[in-house]
Amino acid sequence: MGTVTTTGAYGPWGIVAGGSDGVGVAFAHGMAARGINVVLVARRVPVLESAAAEIRARHGVEVRTVALDLGAPDALAELAGATAELEIGLFVYNAGADVRSVAFLDRDLDTHLSLVQRNCAAVLEAAHRFGAPMVARGRGGLVLVTSGAAWAGGATLATYGATKAFDLILAESLWAEWRGSGVDVLGLVLGRTDTPSHRRLLDAEGTASAGGQVYEGLADPTDIAEEALAHLADGPTWIHGSENPTGGSPFGALNRRDSVLAMSRGAAGSS
Ligand SMILES: NC(=O)c1ccc[n+]([C@@H]2O[C@H](COP(=O)([O-])OP(=O)(O)OC[C@H]3O[C@@H](n4cnc5c(N)ncnc54)[C@H](OP(=O)(O)O)[C@@H]3O)[C@@H](O)[C@H]2O)c1
């Protein structure tokens, strides 16, 4: 099992795409605590700037912010330009949650396509643009955050689940190609997690009952980031919260039809 203990393997700079709250900012704190300077990417400038200020104050590393929409087609080119003079040794692509579980035809086509742009095209572009110099250098790390929704299709999860399956397969494939190159790739599979984004989804779906019990049992973003940073070299896949985090799909030997029906029943719980 590998651990990240120095900036040597994964520094001197890291990028967290979707790094201003939830799992992303937890990664940024974890990286900064290990001496890695961080670039945070997100859309809402006040949230981004306050996350950056807290990381600077707490860890004393350099922090830069790049405000952009990862769903815009030129986002990764802009990010590469904004960080051109930095040596990026770790890239965490975290942004990826859906705002709501909704039937496929009840959502307009542009919204589906923008999810695909942020969760697939931009992830691929990040891996290509930032992975190439890492492989050339012979060191680095790439974390693609994915979801239990990647394990099988499910009603109201069509585009989200498909994009997360894309991320899982992309991470596993790059792990297979880059193993031995010095660059660690991890496909990080998450279940329900206590993030601002997930709370907004629960609230929008009216599942946030009085007393907030619905928030109980959600995974903790800091636990996730710490575990993932400790296991960057234990890819291709890390399933947070599983008894066997490097094991297979929780659907095991179920046939595809039963897996899809089970996923459909638990749709809200798997995003
Ligand atoms: N939370 C869960 O229960 C859960 C379960 C399974 C998997 N996951 C996965 O875990 C990851 C993190 O999820 P999350 O719940 O923390 O929510 P998230 O919305 O994916 O991530 C929040 C962070 O990403 C930024 N972000 C979101 N969309 C962006 C965009 N278009 N451009 C730039 N930045 C963007 C947010 O800032 P701005 O909003 O200001 O842009 C914030 O910094 C996702 O990949 C998700 O699929 C989460």
Side-chain angles (χ1 to χ4, degrees):
M1 295 279 178
T3 52
V4 49
T5 50
T6 66
T7 57
Y10 305 110
W13 282 86
I15 295 180
V16 186
S20 65
D21 70 21
V23 174
V25 80
F27 262 105
H29 276 282
M31 289 154 66
R34 289 160 175 80
I36 300 173
N37 303 308
V38 287
V39 180
L40 309 180
V41 181
R43 293 164 300 179
R44 291 164 300 161
V45 173
V47 184
L48 189 57
E49 292 305 337
S50 111
E54 198 183 330
I55 293 167
R56 273 185 211 109
R58 214 194 284 177
H59 306 287
V61 297
E62 283 188 67
V63 184
R64 293 203 191 173
T65 56
V66 181
L68 52 75
D69 182 354
L70 292 160
D74 57 353
L76 265 292
E78 198 180 325
L79 180 58
T83 57
E85 86 284 13
L86 306 179
E87 186 178 321
I88 307 297
L90 182 59
F91 196 111
V92 178
Y93 200 108
N94 169 70
D98 202 353
V99 291
R100 215 153 60 90
S101 298
V102 64
F104 183 70
L105 293 177
D106 288 345
R107 173 171 274 176
D108 65 77
L109 190 53
D110 283 347
T111 308
H112 284 295
L113 290 173
S114 120
L115 201 61
V116 171
Q117 177 66 33
R118 185 196 61 182
N119 285 10
C120 300
V123 181
L124 183 152
E125 202 174 330
H128 201 278
R129 286 182 181 274
F130 291 92
M134 290 183 207
V135 171
R137 243 178 255 133
R139 61 187 187 83
L142 174 69
V143 179
L144 304 186
V145 181
T146 178
S147 163
W151 296 129
T156 76
L157 288 169
T159 306
Y160 176 71
T163 66
K164 292 283 127 178
F166 179 96
D167 296 335
L168 181 66
I169 299 297
L170 182 66
E172 292 182 343
S173 304
L174 296 179
W175 176 88
E177 287 195 19
W178 295 349
R179 63 197 286 255
S181 76
V183 179
D184 297 321
V185 183
L186 193 68
L188 178 61
V189 182
L190 303 187
R192 295 176 38 165
T193 302
D194 194 356
T195 64
S197 178
H198 193 60
R199 285 189 177 224
R200 285 194 295 273
L201 181 143
L202 292 173
D203 293 347
E205 290 176 348
T207 45
S209 57
Q213 295 97 325
V214 75
Y215 300 142
E216 285 170 17
L218 302 179
D220 176 57
T222 300
D223 292 346
I224 291 170
E226 285 301 313
E227 190 176 272
L229 287 168
H231 292 283
L232 285 180
D234 298 322
T237 316
W238 189 269
I239 310 165
H240 181 82
S242 166
E243 282 177 13
N244 182 11
T246 55
S249 157
F251 292 117
L254 274 191
N255 65 37
R256 297 296 299 180
R257 183 178 191 278
D258 290 335
S259 300
V260 171
L261 292 174
M263 184 66 85
S264 300
R265 283 193 295 276
S270 56
S271 59

